[in-house]
Amino acid sequence: MRLSLANDHPKGRSEDLFARFRTERVLERLRALDERARREGLQALHADQDLLIRIGMETDSTGRVTKNGYGVFNLSWQVPQHPEWPEMIAAEVDELREGIHRAHGVRLRYLLWCGMGGSAEDKSMYLATGLLRRRVRCYVVDSTDPAKLKWILEDIRRRDPRSLPEILKRTLVVGMAMGMTSYEPVLNLEKLTALYEKHRISSQANFLYMTLPGSVLDQFARPRGYRRVELQPDNANTIAGRHSGPLTRGSLYPLALAGVHLESWMKGAVLDDEQIHTAWRLASFIHAQGEAGRDKLTLLLPRCWKGAGIWTKQDFEESLGKSEQLGLKVIVGEKPKLAEYRSPRDARQDRAFLAVQVQGEQHPEAAKIARLKAAGYPIAVLGFERGSLLSSYMQFIHYTVFGVAYLREMNFVTQPSVELYKSVAAEIYQEALRVGGIRRTAAWRQMMETPRRVRFGPVTLCHHLLETGEDPGQGPAPERYARLLHREAAAGRVSYGELTFFGDTRYWPQGIATLRVLKQAAGELFRSGLKMPADVYEGPAMNHSYHEMIIGHGRCFSTVVATLRPEELPAAGYTADYHLAQFLATQIALARRRRPVVALLLDDLEPDSLSALQEFFHRAAVALKAAARRSAAVGVI
């Protein structure tokens, strides 16, 4: 691996930070601490003993260690000691295939992976980078929107002429949740179980799950006789969900089913000391830029790993988004346009860049990388050798995240803000069950009955949870939205945006069309209008992937979008009530942390409604630019 740094300001700061990793013997201490935890047990450890305990382990209020989180590194250290692991995983996967054949007399053809955030993003990345194209077709069920499961089944039936019962026999369903309270995979397993029962298909051979004993998922699956599999090949519990790739069963099973060579994959995740220190040199650069206010790290990936953006973003933001004082926003999926960036001489310029290259492959943004360097933007260029595996990249990113955490003295294995949103969603859903539906809950009524609500044809703007200060005034919804956004930006309270659609955007045609509208709006409103980056993604997956940054660090203007006519899957009794509870909980969790959030409700997702949404954002962008010109004229921004 090669790392070069350009326009690294302030000069020498990165190297001074990097020197700490060698002088403080971080790698030696890290290995020694993990070994001690395994040898002596957690009772021998306390948060006061070492910074490494405070940033990589879970502790209680007294400082007593309750979980060692360094399995993310230890698993790779164990790989050379366990040459049997690849064959072990392959044999386990063969046993799953054989179990389905014994039960139903058919071959395994489909994999439905039910999980959220870290339990799913690596599988989505493997799909996007082409690793799961062979043998068994994999689908990631990472949403409680019934449209996700409905349109996955539709996609299978378009490809397979067999009846649904025959398809279900040929399907392996995996539920994964590394949190004790994660309900999303339970809901999807519950609906899939209902389909098997409806068609009188024995499901024990078709279901397995990975979770902690006693979790909500375990309580659902164990009484039904589903197989529980330990997440880690060493059968320990030392890893967070987002760190489960590349070396846990949660990552290895889909790869094995697709015929990926596991021995090479595992060896690719074993980095030598110099490669680890290269990761920490990159971490020093990232931290130094963040200290200087350049906390928007724009990721430019090679073609072969283009699909790794969201996984990378999650690893950084869910791990490092806890501080209001010092944030780290990873920008992915953005075409670099210098016209949309502030000049390097502008004190408000908050971008740094990370370009990843693979030897022998022409980078799609090679010309822009050269222009960014020449213009004076801080940029790190990370080069991998020809033929490098994605597992090497993943493990390198884990070490980089740890390096930033070490310099910031921040725990990188916990996720308190994600837990906040999950608890609010659970409260709303339980109320919905009591009162007869989500639309009778107090949170829904508050949103629908607020005076801070205005329609624009089939689009309704609700800003009832936004601390508005002075009233944004009356008038059309797009102009009101623009005033709210402009005020937050002009006051310096926001430095990026978020446009999140609560609905499936991978398989559902209307969801895919909605995502296109939001991507266009992100460019028009934020990148062009405000010279700010903007995240465009699907909820609630976003809540698990990088909500930690939005709630923890803040400085984001959130716009969450949903339809009043969501999809349902009647055959499984699947409604959108829990999904809409998550939509409401997202807003409430943000508001509790005083983060600016507004909601857009669409009557439906028909072409006319999406055209109206597109027009809403266009008019808002025009109004935003006009407001910016007026402010500039009087010297406000």
Side-chain angles (χ1 to χ4, degrees), residues 377-615:
Y377 289 96
I379 181 168
V381 179
L382 175 64
F384 284 80
E385 295 179 359
R386 187 190 303 269
S388 292
L389 298 179
L390 185 62
S391 57
S392 300
Y393 170 81
M394 295 171 72
Q395 198 66 15
F396 185 93
I397 292 299
H398 287 322
Y399 277 110
T400 304
V401 169
F402 164 84
V404 177
Y406 184 83
L407 295 171
R408 297 186 177 184
E409 300 188 4
M410 178 185 294
N411 190 294
F412 76 107
V413 299
T414 58
Q415 51 177 40
S417 294
V418 174
E419 296 300 327
L420 169 63
Y421 134 82
K422 286 164 62 176
S423 66
V424 176
E427 292 170 7
I428 295 173
Y429 185 58
Q430 288 303 312
E431 182 188 356
L433 294 176
R434 290 195 308 271
V435 300
I438 192 68
R439 299 177 194 237
R440 295 183 178 181
T441 61
W444 183 273
R445 294 199 313 271
Q446 181 189 20
M447 179 179 67
M448 299 304 291
E449 297 169 6
T450 177
R452 294 179 175 177
R453 177 173 174 268
V454 57
R455 286 183 66 86
F456 180 76
V459 181
T460 301
L461 167 67
C462 301
H463 56 93
H464 58 298
L465 296 178
L466 179 62
E467 292 188 356
T468 58
E470 62 183 77
D471 188 78
Q474 301 303 309
E479 285 74 13
R480 187 181 299 197
Y481 177 86
R483 285 194 293 272
L484 293 169
L485 176 54
H486 173 70
R487 186 179 60 219
E488 296 296 316
R493 289 190 289 267
V494 300
S495 60
Y496 70 99
E498 169 208 345
L499 296 163
T500 298
F501 173 61
F502 274 74
D504 174 51
T505 60
R506 190 176 297 126
Y507 306 106
W508 184 21
Q510 289 173 303
I512 294 169
T514 304
L515 188 67
R516 285 197 295 267
V517 174
L518 296 184
K519 286 182 176 180
Q520 180 180 348
E524 207 173 2
L525 275 165
F526 289 95
R527 298 189 187 105
S528 177
L530 294 170
K531 294 188 182 295
M532 291 181 183
D535 291 329
V536 183
Y537 201 42
E538 171 186 317
M542 169 276 301
N543 298 34
H544 289 251
S545 297
Y546 52 87
H547 215 232
E548 193 76 32
M549 171 76 180
I550 297 170
I551 291 184
H553 178 64
R555 304 202 69 200
C556 175
F557 190 93
S558 293
T559 304
V560 293
V561 183
T563 176
L564 294 171
R565 291 183 59 186
E567 291 276 82
E568 295 185 351
L569 185 57
Y574 204 165
T575 71
D577 271 19
Y578 188 75
H579 188 61
L580 290 174
Q582 292 175 307
F583 170 71
L584 295 168
T586 298
Q587 300 173 62
I588 292 169
L590 288 166
R592 286 185 183 177
R593 294 298 301 272
R594 305 184 71 176
R595 308 307 187 212
V597 57
V598 301
L600 292 177
L601 296 168
L602 282 76
D603 290 352
D604 53 49
L605 298 181
E606 296 302 317
D608 286 348
S609 296
L610 293 182
S611 294
L613 180 63
Q614 189 173 28
E615 178 63 17

Side-chain angles (χ1 to χ4, degrees), residues 33 37 45 53 55-59 65 67-70 411 413:
L33 173 62
L45 304 176
I53 294 176
I55 71 170
M57 297 185 177
E58 296 180 20
T59 60
V65 175
K67 180 179 177 178
N68 173 15
Y70 283 118
N411 190 294
V413 299

Side-chain angles (χ1 to χ4, degrees), residues 124-298:
S124 296
M125 173 174 59
Y126 299 158
L127 282 167
T129 54
L131 287 171
L132 304 183
R133 287 177 179 166
R134 300 170 54 213
R135 299 185 182 180
V136 174
R137 180 170 289 275
C138 177
Y139 294 88
V140 180
V141 191
D142 58 349
S143 172
T144 57
D145 180 13
K148 179 79 72 177
L149 185 54
K150 175 181 178 179
W151 286 91
I152 284 174
L153 296 175
E154 288 290 330
D155 187 75
I156 295 175
R157 298 186 74 174
R158 282 196 301 269
R159 301 170 185 274
D160 193 329
R162 298 180 182 91
S163 66
L164 179 58
E166 289 301 314
I167 289 170
L168 292 175
K169 291 176 183 177
R170 291 164 168 81
T171 299
L172 175 66
V173 179
V174 179
M176 178 175 166
M178 296 317 296
M180 294 295 290
T181 60
S182 294
Y183 179 63
E184 296 91 346
V186 175
L187 183 60
N188 281 304
L189 260 64
E190 180 183 80
K191 302 309 178 185
L192 284 161
T193 298
L195 284 178
Y196 279 80
E197 291 175 348
K198 178 180 179 179
H199 294 287
R200 299 182 180 179
I201 302 170
S202 174
S203 60
Q204 276 74 23
N206 298 80
F207 282 69
L208 69 86
Y209 67 104
M210 302 176 186
T211 192
L212 303 175
S215 70
V216 173
L217 176 55
D218 187 47
Q219 292 173 37
F220 169 82
R222 186 180 294 274
R224 289 165 173 79
Y226 295 154
R227 180 186 306 191
R228 178 175 170 268
V229 177
E230 293 291 346
L231 178 68
Q232 298 178 204
D234 62 354
N235 297 330
N237 174 29
T238 57
I239 209 160
R242 62 188 172 279
H243 299 152
S244 60
L247 290 175
T248 70
R249 288 182 174 91
S251 251
L252 296 171
Y253 273 18
L255 295 169
L257 287 168
V260 172
H261 192 263
L262 294 185
E263 183 178 359
S264 299
W265 177 268
M266 290 185 177
K267 287 181 177 178
V270 181
L271 306 188
D272 62 33
D273 290 5
E274 196 56 40
Q275 291 170 326
I276 294 169
H277 281 101
T278 299
W280 291 345
R281 186 169 176 236
L282 174 60
S284 301
F285 168 84
I286 292 170
H287 176 61
Q289 300 311 311
E291 285 182 321
R294 295 180 287 273
D295 59 1
K296 308 297 187 301
L297 184 68
T298 304

Side-chain angles (χ1 to χ4, degrees), residues 96-114:
L96 294 173
R97 286 195 186 96
E98 182 57 30
I100 287 176
H101 186 265
R102 283 197 306 269
H104 308 300
V106 299
R107 291 176 55 195
L108 173 62
R109 294 288 303 276
Y110 305 105
L111 171 63
L112 300 188
W113 197 278
C114 302

